[in-house]
Amino acid sequence: AQSVTQPDIHITVSEGASLELRCNYSYGATPYLFWYVQSPGQGLQLLLKYFSGDTLVQGIKGFEAEFKRSQSSFNLRKPSVHWSDAAEYFCAVGARYSGNTPLVFGKGTRLSVIA
Amino acid sequence: DAGITQSPRHKVTETGTPVTLRCHQTENHRYMYWYRQDPGHGLRLIHYSYGVKDTDKGEVSDGYSVSRSKTEDFLLTLESATSSQTSVYFCAISSPAPGTYDTGELFFGEGSRLTVL
């Protein structure tokens, strides 16, 4: 079975600074990988996904993530953070060739943005 | 936005009463899920369905049951609500990953906030 770890519970960055949120997974093959964002009181919205192909994935709202097989990681990045990016971010991993096995979610990283 | 509707959005109930949450989709997706979200625990899977009348347990299924009699509806029932079931409940749907039968990306509803007194 797959598993995922988000090592940082809470990160604070200044508006305009760069951002990197960490995601590490454990799975015996190449997984499917996802990043979701959740604003307060809202449901989760998909930021980006990796199924196959180019390991650098572009998403919505200026986010990108890079799949690094050697490091079992799928870190989320943004070059310049805006105050509206303050939210909770979840990484999720899916199992390939597994039929209906559900995605496994990390516990989330809360992002605070300061002026 | 994916066509997912959860009802009710907010509910306050008393310990020992039954509660049913409904998830309705208009996307005709095969897979449907119920998660609960609690501070410090992230999202935890309660039950999921991979077709009409086909359901399976997640990691926190005790005290919950589900039913799916139609593709578009997935019901979550708390037979006798307890205070530990106070939470925000999210329904999600999924289509398979491209060219496979594997679970693909999930689309989430807006959540149902349940308070058990």
Side-chain angles (χ1 to χ4, degrees), chain A residues 32 34 36 38 41-46 49 51 88 90 94-108, chain B residues 9 30-31 33 35 37 40-43 45 48 50 90 97-98 100-111:
Chain A
Y32 306 124
F34 309 86
Y36 287 84
Q38 184 183 31
Q42 304 293 314
L44 280 74
Q45 180 185 21
L46 182 71
K49 59 192 175 187
F51 286 127
E88 188 138 23
F90 294 92
R96 201 175 290 268
Y97 313 123
S98 66
N100 55 45
T101 301
L103 305 187
V104 173
F105 284 81
K107 295 191 184 300
Chain B
R9 295 289 314 279
R30 180 179 173 186
Y31 303 148
Y33 309 83
Y35 289 88
Q37 184 176 33
H41 292 277
L43 285 166
L45 181 65
Y48 65 102
Y50 44 94
F90 286 98
T100 77
Y101 291 102
D102 299 334
T103 303
E105 64 198 85
L106 267 59
F107 302 93
F108 285 84
E110 292 296 308

Side-chain angles (χ1 to χ4, degrees), chain A residues 18-101:
Chain A
S18 63
L19 171 69
E20 183 169 27
L21 302 182
R22 295 184 291 164
C23 173
N24 297 104
Y25 69 87
S26 175
Y27 184 59
T30 301
Y32 306 124
L33 295 159
F34 309 86
W35 273 102
Y36 287 84
V37 60
Q38 184 183 31
S39 297
Q42 304 293 314
L44 280 74
Q45 180 185 21
L46 182 71
L47 280 176
L48 46 78
K49 59 192 175 187
Y50 172 79
F51 286 127
S52 63
D54 193 345
T55 56
L56 183 62
V57 179
Q58 302 296 321
I60 63 171
K61 305 185 181 189
F63 286 92
E64 68 177 27
E66 186 170 11
F67 168 51
K68 293 187 177 181
R69 187 191 313 272
S70 61
Q71 298 177 20
S72 298
S73 68
F74 190 58
N75 294 348
L76 182 70
R77 301 193 295 248
K78 187 170 185 178
S80 178
V81 169
H82 188 262
W83 64 267
S84 60
D85 293 324
E88 188 138 23
Y89 292 80
F90 294 92
C91 181
V93 59
R96 201 175 290 268
Y97 313 123
S98 66
N100 55 45
T101 301

